[in-house]
Amino acid sequence: MARVKICPRCGRHNPPSSSICLSDECSWDLTGIRAENLREESPVPAPETGASPDSGGQKPEPAVSRNSGPEVSPAPEPRPAPGSSLAPEIPPGKIYVRICPGCGTENRAVAKVCTACRQDIRMVPKTQADRKTGTGTADSPRPAVPENTLIAVLKSPDGTELLRIDSDHPVHVIGREHTLMEYLAGRDYTSRRHAELVVSGKRLVIRDFGKPNGTFINNVRMAAESAETLKDGDRVSLGGIWEEDWKSSLAGCFTVSYPGRS
């Protein structure tokens, strides 16, 4: 007998260790689903076709015995197709979801990547959503992917453009081995993976990764592993205060600009 986790949404048989449905079009949360023993139907012996010489050419009646062999297990009932009236229902009410900041798709709260655009959404906060139907499908059609919109521009202290952040690329890890790595080369106070910038609506949120040298906004140090929304014109320095002689500083510095907004 094989042990499987049967997805209540699409009916797929998944390995017992799976935490989500392996179907690319489903990705349903299986953390609360118990693995089941899947019985294989025992073969039914084929009937004898020969007739004995003394039977006059007639097929002899098989002898009936209570102990004639192992009991044949009944075939498992077929699982209903997804979306049919017999499909297992999910109770209506509030559910937690992760809404992809890139394409707006609602994902399960345990999802690590968006099922539509495959973007990493592990850092996206969970929100509540209404589920008015119990069919296991979304209440509304998947929203269309929004057009690419420029959100912010990062600039060096002398006004040179360093990075344009748009709605198609809403998450950037900043550090000497990540985004801005060329600009931050030689800035030894900046860590290889120092902070993260995430688009939130029409603004940028910066999250400090708790490195020893810290992250500063307008020369005020952020609390370790905290997050703050950046305003237009904010001066960010990674690893130390903003120095006037920024070219020789060992801290990486940039300003935030929101085009068309103040």
Side-chain angles (χ1 to χ4, degrees):
M1 290 188 294
R3 289 179 62 80
V4 296
K5 280 187 177 180
I6 301 175
C7 176
R9 183 181 186 186
C10 69
R12 180 189 175 101
H13 292 179
N14 299 273
S17 60
S18 298
S19 59
I20 62 172
C21 180
L22 299 182
S23 172
D24 292 338
E25 299 179 355
C26 181
S27 300
W28 196 255
D29 177 20
L30 301 180
T31 52
I33 304 299
R34 295 174 60 89
E36 304 178 12
N37 290 325
L38 184 64
R39 288 188 175 182
E40 297 181 358
E41 185 177 356
S42 301
V44 180
E48 298 181 0
T49 56
S52 67
D54 298 334
S55 62
Q58 298 295 324
K59 178 181 175 182
E61 294 292 335
V64 178
S65 173
R66 294 181 179 272
N67 300 317
S68 58
E71 181 181 355
V72 178
S73 300
E77 296 182 3
R79 298 187 64 84
S84 68
S85 59
L86 299 177
E89 293 192 350
I90 298 172
K94 293 283 187 180
I95 62 169
Y96 281 93
V97 298
R98 279 191 172 128
I99 300 177
C100 176
C103 68
T105 299
E106 284 189 5
N107 298 272
R108 297 285 292 177
V110 296
K112 297 179 180 179
V113 295
C114 177
T115 57
C117 65
R118 312 309 295 175
Q119 177 178 310
D120 188 340
I121 57 174
R122 286 176 291 184
M123 301 308 300
V124 176
K126 302 173 185 178
T127 57
Q128 277 193 336
D130 287 315
R131 184 167 298 283
K132 299 178 182 178
T133 63
T135 59
T137 59
D139 298 330
S140 58
R142 178 176 294 170
V145 177
E147 295 182 0
N148 187 343
T149 303
L150 178 63
I151 303 297
V153 178
L154 305 186
K155 298 179 180 179
S156 65
D158 63 359
T160 302
E161 185 175 303
L162 301 174
L163 178 67
R164 299 171 70 87
I165 299 177
D166 55 47
S167 57
D168 280 359
H169 305 88
V171 180
H172 292 271
V173 174
I174 306 296
R176 288 188 289 110
E177 291 186 359
H178 290 272
T179 304
L180 300 185
M181 60 186 300
E182 294 182 1
Y183 172 68
L184 296 173
R187 313 282 180 174
D188 294 342
Y189 289 174
T190 301
S191 300
R192 292 174 295 178
R193 186 174 181 273
H194 198 101
E196 183 179 58
L197 294 173
V198 180
V199 172
S200 178
K202 296 182 179 181
R203 288 288 187 263
L204 286 182
V205 173
I206 186 169
R207 185 171 71 91
D208 175 69
F209 284 159
K211 301 302 180 181
N213 293 335
T215 301
F216 295 76
I217 303 175
N218 300 322
N219 280 345
V220 177
R221 183 166 181 165
M222 297 176 59
E225 299 184 6
S226 65
E228 291 190 29
T229 301
L230 295 171
K231 300 184 297 296
D232 187 72
D234 275 350
R235 301 191 302 176
V236 178
S237 50
L238 308 176
I241 63 172
W242 185 292
E243 299 180 3
E244 293 303 322
D245 186 13
W246 63 272
K247 290 186 177 180
S248 60
S249 173
L250 296 180
C253 305
F254 60 86
T255 60
V256 178
S257 174
Y258 295 109
R261 296 186 295 273
S262 58

